[in-house]
Amino acid sequence: IGFMNYTILQGNIIDAKVDAVVLPANTKLREGSGTSKAIFEAAGRKDLTKVCKKIGYCEVGSAVPTYGFKLGCERIIHTVVPKWIDGNQGEYDLLCSAYYSALKMADVMKLKSMAFPLLASGNNGFDQEIALEIALKSIESFQPEVLEEVIVVLYGNKITGMVKEKGYDVGILPRNIENDKSDFLKKLRKEKIIDDAKKSQKIK
């Protein structure tokens, strides 16, 4: 059994340079909001949607892999996260299971590094402190064969502040230059600057 290291970083999960990125999924594997939307967009919405449609379904607490496509990682692991109801519907166990399924899948696929968002801490309605506790306990108790490194990525200052208050070190996830470049190009296209430049080329 190997040793696994984990770090907590603030940033955007699509910038993580890892073998697998974890996408918080719904049972029909359709694109959601927040982290799900960011990953679908970065990976290439068309390709990822097509593959997810083919798989069709995954139950809560389980995970399925797809290719990383344009995201630059080997795999995207879609793990289906429970919604908070009242704490008596097995939510804690299902969230632990979502982490375990994703960790196990990465390990079985012989991947060495992976990045998680803080699962269920946004639209799924879990208290953020509980979501943090479940995340770290699930990761700490996992015994890998191959997996060496796990990153928990926090998005936004509010949640990062809460985690720091709890006494955890939070580093910064560096921006991926390629993403900066594509953001820049998107902005230019939006402002029609690229179109105008192309037109002026044709006129000459």
Side-chain angles (χ1 to χ4, degrees):
I1 286 169
F3 172 75
M4 194 171 72
N5 190 24
Y6 80 84
T7 45
I8 307 172
L9 302 176
Q10 181 183 3
N12 189 333
I13 198 162
I14 65 166
D15 292 323
K17 291 196 181 315
V18 285
D19 296 336
V21 163
V22 176
L23 185 151
N26 48 53
T27 53
K28 293 192 171 158
L29 305 174
R30 287 187 185 139
E31 180 182 340
S33 57
T35 306
S36 169
K37 188 179 183 187
I39 294 173
F40 264 86
E41 202 171 289
R45 193 165 268 126
K46 200 175 155 194
D47 290 332
L48 194 51
T49 303
K50 197 173 163 188
V51 172
C52 286
K53 247 185 194 161
K54 223 177 200 170
I55 299 164
Y57 181 83
C58 182
E59 62 185 42
V60 181
S62 297
V64 290
T66 63
Y67 288 114
F69 298 106
K70 290 179 193 155
L71 197 55
C73 56
E74 210 173 304
R75 298 282 174 178
I76 295 167
I77 296 176
H78 305 247
T79 190
V80 184
V81 180
K83 284 199 183 315
W84 179 264
I85 299 163
D86 59 8
N88 299 314
Q89 314 300 317
E91 295 98 328
Y92 301 104
D93 290 346
L94 286 167
L95 186 52
C96 289
S97 175
Y99 275 102
Y100 177 79
S101 300
L103 287 158
K104 188 73 186 158
M105 186 153 285
D107 203 41
V108 165
M109 295 179 97
K110 300 201 171 357
L111 304 176
K112 288 192 172 173
S113 59
M114 68 192 298
F116 280 94
L118 192 55
L119 297 177
S121 63
N123 298 339
N124 285 55
F126 271 71
D127 174 87
Q128 291 188 335
E129 291 187 15
I130 292 171
L132 175 71
E133 197 179 322
I134 289 175
L136 301 185
K137 281 189 174 161
S138 300
I139 292 164
E140 282 165 5
S141 60
F142 184 73
Q143 295 186 311
E145 300 282 335
V146 181
L147 193 60
E148 289 171 6
E149 188 196 358
V150 175
I151 302 169
V152 178
V153 183
L154 307 174
Y155 189 73
N157 293 328
K158 195 180 166 205
I159 199 157
T160 303
M162 180 276 287
V163 174
K164 283 180 175 173
E165 266 172 36
K166 291 265 165 205
Y168 293 100
D169 288 333
V170 181
I172 297 288
L173 180 66
R175 283 278 301 170
N176 184 336
I177 306 299
E178 288 301 313
N179 291 337
D180 281 341
K181 209 158 61 182
S182 87
D183 285 351
F184 179 66
L185 290 173
K186 266 184 213 157
K187 188 168 181 273
L188 294 185
R189 283 197 189 100
K190 209 175 182 180
E191 292 168 5
K192 301 276 188 289
I193 292 165
I194 289 178
D195 292 347
D196 293 346
K198 277 182 183 167
K199 276 177 197 159
S200 68
Q201 283 289 13
K202 280 174 187 168
I203 292 163
K204 283 171 188 174

